[in-house]
């Protein structure tokens, strides 16, 4: 891989991971219409996803640190409650249990966990289908048009008011289900989940925050699967330098794309990306038909 290719792929990853345009859909189009060879190896693909995770961690660092600390506290309190349960049974002690959902951030943690369950299940069930359709143009084209409809709807929805303390586990499960379905190539993960959040009545700023923080367990899961499939690749010192450049580009572009997306949602300006996705989707379907 050349440094130019690394930069191009880094820009694509950084932009499409966060803007509501579907990274998988664009990769499918580039491979099929533009005849670009994107088979850069599983290792580089993993590194690019790590770079976008870094972008999320930088932009939302305060929330992520609080969520990690609260998660640790929840685990500690659950274990303490278990010991209290044992003590109450064996010694007939009337000691009170510790309240687990004692803060908004603790509730946020639980909501993220709940959302991750349907995402993991659906992603696993769709894995074989995704591998089959991601190398053609028809399904990504249809899904891009679906993405256009989904994100266009978000601009016309009334502003919600739900924050972590108001959201329910049913909301979290529904949004996680939307994220699982959005693994199909051409469906924008960010656009689908943000719209699902708004449909559930989330405040628009919280909808963006929830969507991207919720993506972290899903991305980690995908990385683990990809790492398990990586064969022994011969990586030279030059490859490492090129990979680092691509990662830095993806992280920097992703950082600004994430901030930009947050502002777009609050200003109800997703419609411009809806028109773009619709156009690309139509082109993809036409190209698929012509190829026969």
């Amino acid at each position: 891989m050349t440094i130019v290719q690394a930069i191009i792929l880094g820009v694509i990853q950084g932009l499409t991971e966060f803007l509501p345009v579907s990274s998988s859909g664009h990769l499918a189009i580039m491979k099929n219409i533009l005849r670009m060879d994107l088979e850069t190896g599983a290792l580089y693909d993993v590194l690019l996803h790590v770079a976008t995770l870094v972008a999320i961690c930088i932009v939302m660092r305060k929330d992520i640190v609080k969520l990690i600390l609260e998660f640790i506290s929840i685990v500690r309190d659950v274990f303490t409650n278990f010991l209290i349960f044992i003590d109450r049974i064996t010694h007939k002690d009337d000691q009170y249990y510790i309240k687990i959902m004692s803060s908004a951030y603790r509730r946020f943690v639980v909501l993220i966990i709940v959302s991750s369950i349907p995402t993991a299940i659906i992603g696993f069930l769709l894995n074989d289908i995704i591998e089959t359709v991601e190398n053609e143009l028809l399904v990504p084209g249809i899904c891009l048009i679906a993405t256009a409809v989904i994100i266009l709807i978000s601009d016309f929805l009334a502003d919600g008011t739900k924050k972590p303390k108001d959201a329910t586990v049913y909301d979290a499960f529904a949004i996680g289900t939307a994220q699982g379905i959005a693994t199909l190539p051409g469906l924008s993960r960010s656009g689908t989940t943000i719209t699902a959040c708004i449909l559930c009545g989330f405040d628009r700023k919280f909808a963006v925050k929830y969507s991207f923080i919720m993506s972290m367990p899903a991305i980690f899961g995908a990385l683990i699967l990809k790492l398990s499939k990586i064969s022994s690749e011969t990586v030279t010192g030059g490859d490492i330098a090129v990979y680092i450049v691509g990662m830095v580009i993806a992280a920097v572009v992703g950082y600004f794309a994430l901030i930009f997306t947050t502002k777009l949602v609050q200003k109800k300006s997703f419609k411009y990306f809806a028109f773009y996705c619709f156009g690309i989707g139509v082109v993809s379907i036409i190209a698929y038909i012509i190829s026969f």
Side-chain angles (χ1 to χ4, degrees), residues 77-270:
D77 289 348
V78 167
F79 181 71
T80 301
N81 280 345
F82 176 74
L83 294 179
I84 293 173
F85 172 74
I86 298 298
D87 197 48
R88 289 178 65 146
I89 292 177
T90 56
H91 298 93
K92 305 300 181 180
D93 195 334
D94 291 331
Q95 184 179 356
Y96 291 110
Y97 291 114
I98 299 172
K99 185 179 179 180
I100 302 299
M101 306 281 276
S102 58
S103 69
Y105 271 97
R106 285 196 171 199
R107 190 172 187 82
F108 199 164
V109 171
V110 173
L111 293 172
I112 294 296
I113 293 172
V114 172
S115 289
S116 299
I117 295 171
T119 295
I121 294 172
I122 296 172
F124 176 77
L125 293 175
L126 291 180
N127 184 60
D128 291 340
I129 296 175
I130 292 169
E131 290 182 353
T132 301
V133 302
E134 67 182 355
N135 291 320
E136 61 178 61
L137 288 170
L138 181 60
V139 173
I142 293 172
C143 287
L144 276 165
I145 293 175
T147 292
V149 174
I150 290 169
I151 63 178
L152 188 62
I153 288 172
S154 71
D155 277 0
F156 294 96
L157 292 174
D159 293 345
T161 57
K162 286 185 180 179
K163 298 290 180 67
K165 63 183 179 63
D166 308 306
T168 68
V169 292
Y170 302 107
D171 294 330
F173 192 87
I175 297 165
T177 300
Q179 179 170 248
I181 296 172
T183 55
L184 288 169
L187 276 181
S188 166
R189 192 214 64 82
S190 61
T192 301
T193 55
I194 289 172
T195 301
C197 286
I198 297 172
L199 280 169
C200 288
F202 284 21
D203 168 83
R204 285 181 177 267
K205 186 174 181 180
F206 177 53
V208 176
K209 183 184 296 185
Y210 191 86
S211 170
F212 288 115
I213 292 179
M214 178 183 64
S215 74
M216 296 182 72
I219 294 175
F220 273 122
L223 290 181
I224 292 172
L225 287 176
K226 288 181 180 179
L227 283 171
S228 66
K229 296 179 180 179
I230 291 179
S231 57
S232 55
E233 296 183 15
T234 304
V235 181
T236 66
D239 290 333
I240 294 174
V242 170
Y243 288 176
I244 291 174
V245 170
M247 289 180 68
V248 171
I249 293 295
V252 172
V253 173
Y255 173 86
F256 289 106
L258 205 165
I259 294 175
F260 184 56
T261 300
T262 303
K263 294 180 179 179
L264 284 177
V265 174
Q266 293 176 288
K267 293 181 179 179
K268 299 185 178 182
S269 299
F270 264 7

Side-chain angles (χ1 to χ4, degrees), residues 23-78:
S23 58
S24 58
H26 277 71
L27 292 178
I29 292 169
M30 292 181 72
K31 283 190 284 187
N32 288 279
I33 294 183
L34 303 180
R35 304 300 179 187
M36 284 186 65
D37 179 15
L38 298 180
E39 298 301 325
T40 56
L43 178 59
Y44 186 60
D45 188 35
V46 167
L47 293 176
L48 285 181
H49 279 85
V50 170
T52 52
L53 276 176
V54 170
I56 296 174
C57 289
I58 293 174
V59 174
M60 302 184 175
R61 57 191 178 278
K62 293 182 180 179
D63 291 298
I64 291 171
V65 169
K66 288 182 180 179
L67 288 170
I68 292 173
L69 293 176
E70 290 297 347
F71 174 74
I72 294 172
S73 296
I74 288 173
V75 173
R76 179 201 63 201
D77 289 348
V78 167

